[in-house]
Amino acid sequence: MKQSSCGGGSRALVPGFSVLHPLLALLFVLVMAGAAAAHAVAEGDKGYIQEISGINLIPFVYLGAKHMVTGYDHLLFLFGVIFFLYRLKHIGIYVSLFAVGHSTTMLLGVYYGWNVSSYLIDAIIGLSVVYKALDNLGAYQRWFGVQPNTKVATLIFGFFHGLGLATKILEYDIAEDGLIPNLLAFNVGVEIGQLIALTVILIAMSYWRKTSSFLRHAYTANVIMMTAGFVLIGYQLTGYFVA
């Protein structure tokens, strides 16, 4: 992941940045828009859920998909996880581990009403983005001479992402009537949203990987992703101490 020299001339760099720029711009917009909204539950969605009771599968599938597709922190982590994964088999393994992790703590967190600060959980989710960016940069091998188990890390951070989902669901103040079916429907929606987001990311990544700019600018992309993770951490910790 060696950075390219500037001596090659600006003309040679233009094609690379023409592909890289939309991806990095997307990351920036996701983080800034997410920070501005504090990743909160939309008032319209919250009001609707508070007014209904019983089993409402379709609305909860929609809410789950919406949350994942607009979940900038989840998307950043997934982007980092698949950054250097080329085979669908490997992508499927890591995405499945992430899904198992966030599904487990999401369901348990809501069912048992785990009262955890959403600011602290979201800060840890931001940390997961930083961790994955550093992993992609090979930082742990250079600094400590070891390579963490990436599968275990993906599963563990999946647990925290799921706990973050649980804190958002608890904000809906869901009725006890039909709770389990509705939670399962929400989880299905999350997986649908994840599949949609992952498909878009993979299409963009597959196009970028076909260009010569990918390896030249992979370092820059991960540094920007790491910076975005630090922004998320700082924003959430500020909210925790100020709120």
Side-chain angles (χ1 to χ4, degrees):
M1 293 185 294
K2 184 178 179 181
Q3 295 186 73
S4 60
S5 172
C6 294
S10 60
R11 181 176 300 179
L13 293 178
V14 170
F17 278 109
S18 67
V19 178
L20 179 61
H21 180 267
L23 291 173
L24 301 186
L26 175 61
L27 293 180
F28 180 79
V29 170
L30 285 171
V31 173
M32 292 304 104
H39 205 22
V41 174
E43 287 301 320
D45 294 338
K46 185 175 182 178
Y48 172 74
I49 294 302
Q50 290 175 338
E51 292 176 359
I52 64 175
S53 62
I55 299 176
N56 296 274
L57 301 182
I58 300 301
F60 278 94
V61 169
Y62 164 76
L63 289 172
K66 177 182 178 182
H67 184 90
M68 179 56 76
V69 171
T70 59
Y72 57 94
D73 43 9
H74 306 301
L75 297 182
L76 280 172
F77 183 71
L78 280 175
F79 177 73
V81 167
I82 69 170
F83 196 89
F84 286 118
L85 296 180
Y86 293 86
R87 295 184 178 181
L88 288 178
K89 175 184 177 181
H90 295 157
I91 293 173
I93 291 173
Y94 279 88
V95 172
S96 296
L97 287 170
F98 181 64
V100 168
H102 71 64
S103 296
T104 300
T105 48
M106 185 203 74
L107 294 172
L108 292 177
V110 175
Y111 184 77
Y112 289 107
W114 291 344
N115 187 18
V116 184
S117 170
S118 61
Y119 286 113
L120 291 181
I121 293 300
D122 285 345
I124 295 175
I125 291 175
L127 178 63
S128 73
V129 176
V130 173
Y131 164 85
K132 193 57 201 173
L134 288 173
D135 187 32
N136 289 344
L137 293 171
Y140 307 116
Q141 290 178 326
R142 291 198 304 271
W143 295 346
F144 310 112
V146 296
Q147 172 58 50
N149 189 310
T150 53
K151 292 185 178 68
V152 173
T154 301
L155 177 63
I156 291 175
F157 280 122
F159 289 144
F160 284 105
H161 280 254
L163 200 54
L165 287 170
T167 62
K168 302 304 181 297
I169 298 174
L170 289 172
E171 293 180 30
Y172 286 123
D173 194 19
I174 303 174
E176 290 292 331
D177 184 21
L179 177 62
I180 299 301
N182 289 337
L183 282 181
L184 293 175
F186 186 91
N187 190 61
V188 170
V190 166
E191 300 308 325
I192 293 174
Q194 178 173 278
L195 182 60
I196 293 172
L198 189 62
T199 300
V200 174
I201 293 173
L202 283 174
I203 291 174
M205 288 293 291
S206 63
Y207 176 68
W208 184 23
R209 285 168 176 167
K210 292 178 182 178
T211 70
S212 60
S213 72
F214 177 67
L215 292 179
R216 290 206 311 270
H217 303 304
Y219 179 90
T220 303
N222 279 279
V223 168
I224 292 176
M225 184 171 68
M226 178 180 64
T227 303
F230 278 122
V231 169
L232 295 176
I233 294 172
Y235 183 86
Q236 297 300 336
L237 289 180
T238 299
Y240 176 75
F241 288 110
V242 173

